Amino acid sequence: MSITPVPRVAVVVVAAGAGTRLGAGGPKALVGIDEHSLLRHCLAGVFRAAAAQVVVVAPAGREGDALTEAIEAAGERRDLVTVVTGGGSRQESVRAGLAALWGDVRYVLVHDAARALTPPDVFARVIAGLEAGADGVIPVLPVIDTIKRVEDRAVVGAVDRSELSAAQTPQGFRRDVLDAAYRAVTREHTDDAALMAEAGHDVSAVAGDPLAFKITTPADLERARHLVAADPLPVRHATLTPTGGAPRVGVGTDVHAFATSGDLRLAGLSWPGEPALAGHSDGDAVAHAIVDALLSAAGLGDIGTHFGTGRPEYDGAHGEVFLTRTVGLLGEAGWRVGNVAVQIQANRPRFSPRRLEAESALSAALGGAPVSVSATTTDGLGFTGRGEGVAVTAVALVLPA
């Protein structure tokens, strides 16, 4: 007889919301995307992501429906499922989920059922951050829209979006720290990261995923249905094999001239004192070459197709925004990033002291895929040799998701 080890990780799936803005006439988590509900799709991803106790916080009176969905999603791992009744607020629902955790659980991931299409890789990044010693870890995406400060319907200023990120779930925490924060909390918070921050704990960020969007409005639900129609649940949660099922390679290049003002953004880093590169966005030629290489490998067009001058929301956006969105485009088409190699041709900036920092930043924007960067000069030849700009070549390998 074999004894299954008790997991050290638990996922609390918050599924008790009424879904008023969705206008579906019932609990949001039980609304159908296709023949399956949001909750069923969400749990299929959860069970693919980690060997964990799964606590479903269900709407009052619908616990039986939630249990049926959880058992169908869990398959042979149904012994890991617990269903509890949610409270009157999100915070009360999470508290109910925490009360149902097994004694050996060390790390808790709190996940919204409304983020039903969250890929398993996001769970893995959050768990890895906790195992590396963080008290709390949340997935985030860069903000791509231009943000304005408005008072009494008048625009009074702009907000620097480079300092902003959009939080997603699952949000992961050390169990002892989260339990203590919930015992001490005195007011409602919009998410558990804010509750932890109020308790004085640092929370780290990892790369999120565009597919982890929250289904809140009818338009969100239609987007989810479109994605699932192209990639139905039995395929999406088994093995998705794009054309031929073989790895594919793409090449991308980008060239930018130095501008007359501003500071340089290159390879996902700021370079104070170095002249900026001219361009529609931040001119990050390294990020742009990587985007072209990835899109080429996956057969998804080029950077102009998705991020060109006809897309004003990307005006001034940092290269990390392009990279993160490209990973999402690849995922929707059934691909993931294998690795990327980049070569920079330029007289400036002096790259070698910051090589590792740049590789780390680019890798994070690509969801953890390895990136290697080399730099060279051209012995005074050509426009790069004359110090007029930067040229970059990138080679990318993509693999079936």
Side-chain angles (χ1 to χ4, degrees), residues 62-290:
R62 303 297 296 272
E63 296 88 350
D65 294 323
L67 180 61
T68 298
E69 299 281 45
I71 289 175
E72 289 180 356
E76 295 180 355
R77 296 165 66 188
R78 63 187 63 188
D79 57 325
L80 299 177
V81 172
T82 304
V83 174
V84 299
T85 305
S89 69
R90 185 184 188 282
Q91 211 157 283
E92 291 177 9
S93 292
V94 175
R95 195 190 302 274
L98 295 177
L101 298 184
W102 296 334
D104 289 344
V105 167
R106 183 174 178 182
Y107 303 121
V108 184
L109 275 59
V110 182
H111 187 44
D112 292 337
R115 299 186 186 273
L117 306 185
T118 302
D121 286 353
V122 179
F123 290 82
R125 289 195 286 273
V126 172
I127 293 170
L130 294 172
E131 291 177 337
D135 287 345
V137 180
I138 66 172
V140 301
L141 286 180
V143 174
I144 64 172
D145 294 322
T146 298
I147 307 297
K148 301 292 186 182
R149 187 178 295 107
V150 178
E151 296 178 4
D152 296 327
R153 301 181 67 179
V155 176
V156 297
V159 179
D160 183 1
R161 65 186 173 195
S162 68
E163 300 177 353
L164 304 177
S165 294
Q168 298 182 318
T169 68
Q171 298 187 352
F173 309 96
R174 276 179 40 201
R175 179 189 182 173
D176 57 340
V177 175
L178 185 61
D179 282 343
Y182 262 87
R183 287 194 297 269
V185 68
T186 58
R187 63 189 181 92
E188 289 289 325
H189 294 274
T190 56
D191 69 359
D192 299 285
L195 183 149
M196 288 280 284
E198 183 180 81
H201 298 287
D202 292 332
V203 176
S204 301
V206 296
D209 193 288
L211 287 176
F213 67 95
K214 189 173 185 180
I215 300 171
T216 302
T217 66
D220 298 328
L221 185 60
E222 284 306 307
R223 178 186 175 194
R225 285 172 172 164
H226 173 76
L227 290 170
V228 169
D231 180 10
L233 186 147
V235 176
R236 183 161 47 83
H237 295 295
T239 301
L240 182 61
T241 305
T243 305
R248 293 171 59 169
V249 175
V251 178
T253 62
D254 197 40
V255 173
H256 282 282
F258 287 118
T260 56
S261 63
D263 286 330
L264 179 66
R265 287 283 303 184
L266 190 66
L269 304 178
S270 294
W271 301 78
E274 293 287 349
L277 291 169
H280 167 57
S281 58
D282 64 354
D284 188 337
V286 170
H288 298 176
I290 292 174

